Amino acid sequence: GNHIHRFSRSSAVSRQIAERQQILGLRKGGEEFPAEASISQLQLSGERIFTVVLRDISERRAAEQTLRETEKRLAATEDFSLVMVTHTDLDGRWLKVPPTLCRLLGYTERELLGHRFNEITHPADIDHNISQRERLLRGEIRSFDMEKRYIRKDGTLVWVYINVSAVTDEKGTPLHCLSYIRDITDRKRAEEELRGAMAEIRQLKDRLEAENVYLRLEVSEAHRYGEMAGESQGMRKVLEQVERVAPTD
């Protein structure tokens, strides 16, 4: 009634109700339901007539509630998920960053939003990252992945694996980019430690092989010297005297 009264005092021909507030309809059995109404007026034989069309929006409200609950669960999942999902615009500015990425990089959400991803990407990884992104936006590839380094707020480095794809409209025009990011710093550190250990093993192997060659030469010389001594009776006597004066045991 209040809506119709206010509408009758206005100069509008029609009006939509429930754009900013909820209207409740009443079913025959007394059950209330969320509704959306539109009012129109016309002059008929000098008489002002109002027409109200009431639409039941129960299903739409239920869908909206389901969407809110889904988004809430998704947000809770993103707080602890190992895979971080981000959205960037076509210029590389972050549109959406999860809390896990903020913690990984040491920045707040506010500090990251609106800034380009390349601002904190390691200089050695920028060219390849941008090149692949440009190919993606030109439609040459459907997605790309790479391992890269981010520079944290405190200056330290973190390694990440990223998979990037483009979100497009119905015509295939890119709207923004969707990135899945996973922290692989521990794996990279383990790989570096393994490479160091393998290098030490190779050095030890080379040293042992060199010592083995030297030992084989000494054994060969000793064997040859023994053969020479065995062939000479005089040499055997000399060796026997040496052995008595300075025994080897």
Side-chain angles (χ1 to χ4, degrees):
N2 291 333
H3 293 290
I4 296 176
H5 179 68
R6 287 196 297 269
F7 177 63
S8 66
R9 298 174 61 184
S10 71
S11 59
V13 177
S14 63
R15 180 182 177 189
Q16 185 82 12
I17 304 177
E19 292 177 339
R20 294 184 177 84
Q21 60 182 334
Q22 180 172 313
I23 293 178
L24 294 177
L26 191 64
R27 302 188 193 281
K28 185 177 181 180
E31 178 188 359
E32 292 183 339
F33 62 92
E36 187 176 75
S38 58
I39 307 173
S40 60
Q41 61 175 316
L42 56 86
Q43 295 286 339
L44 185 60
S45 300
E47 185 177 359
R48 202 173 183 187
I49 299 176
F50 295 93
T51 303
V52 179
V53 178
L54 195 66
R55 287 185 294 273
D56 185 350
I57 58 172
S58 300
E59 291 185 2
R60 191 182 78 190
R61 288 294 170 85
E64 291 172 350
Q65 180 63 26
T66 300
L67 178 61
R68 284 193 293 269
E69 292 173 356
T70 300
E71 290 176 341
K72 186 176 180 180
R73 286 195 299 270
L74 180 60
T77 301
E78 288 181 341
D79 283 343
F80 304 99
S81 176
L82 296 178
V83 178
M84 296 159 276
V85 183
T86 68
H87 297 248
T88 53
D89 66 16
L90 301 183
D91 292 324
R93 294 183 181 86
W94 270 306
L95 303 173
K96 177 181 179 295
V97 290
T100 43
L101 183 63
C102 295
R103 290 194 293 268
L104 177 66
L105 300 178
Y107 290 95
T108 65
E109 181 183 22
R110 185 174 182 178
E111 288 173 322
L112 290 177
L113 291 179
H115 289 273
R116 291 182 173 88
F117 70 88
N118 55 297
E119 293 178 32
I120 61 169
T121 295
H122 192 279
D125 301 326
I126 290 178
D127 288 345
H128 180 63
N129 197 165
I130 293 179
S131 174
Q132 289 294 88
R133 186 181 175 92
E134 289 175 346
R135 292 184 62 206
L136 176 69
L137 297 179
R138 287 195 299 265
E140 297 176 8
I141 53 177
R142 298 186 62 181
S143 66
F144 72 89
D145 57 350
M146 64 177 290
E147 294 180 355
K148 59 179 281 187
R149 287 157 289 184
Y150 279 130
I151 304 172
R152 302 182 74 252
K153 189 175 182 178
D154 61 9
T156 58
L157 298 178
V158 291
W159 275 96
V160 297
Y161 164 83
I162 65 170
N163 177 273
V164 186
S165 58
V167 178
T168 62
D169 61 17
E170 64 277 1
K171 296 180 181 179
T173 303
L175 299 175
H176 63 270
C177 289
L178 181 65
S179 301
Y180 295 91
I181 304 174
R182 183 160 48 88
D183 179 11
I184 58 171
T185 304
D186 290 342
R187 194 198 81 194
K188 283 291 187 178
R189 186 180 296 116
E191 290 175 351
E192 183 64 29
E193 292 174 355
L194 178 60
R195 281 193 293 269
M198 293 300 294
E200 291 181 3
I201 291 173
R202 284 193 296 270
Q203 291 176 0
L204 179 60
K205 180 183 177 183
D206 292 342
R207 187 166 66 248
L208 289 175
E209 287 180 348
E211 291 176 355
N212 190 34
V213 170
Y214 177 75
L215 181 60
R216 284 199 301 270
L217 289 173
E218 283 197 333
V219 170
S220 177
E221 287 296 319
H223 182 68
R224 188 164 61 86
Y225 179 74
E227 289 180 345
M228 292 173 57
E231 293 173 355
S232 171
Q233 185 176 0
M235 183 65 72
R236 283 200 302 271
K237 289 182 179 180
V238 171
L239 288 174
E240 289 172 356
Q241 291 177 3
V242 171
E243 180 68 20
R244 284 196 297 269
V245 174
T248 56
D249 293 334

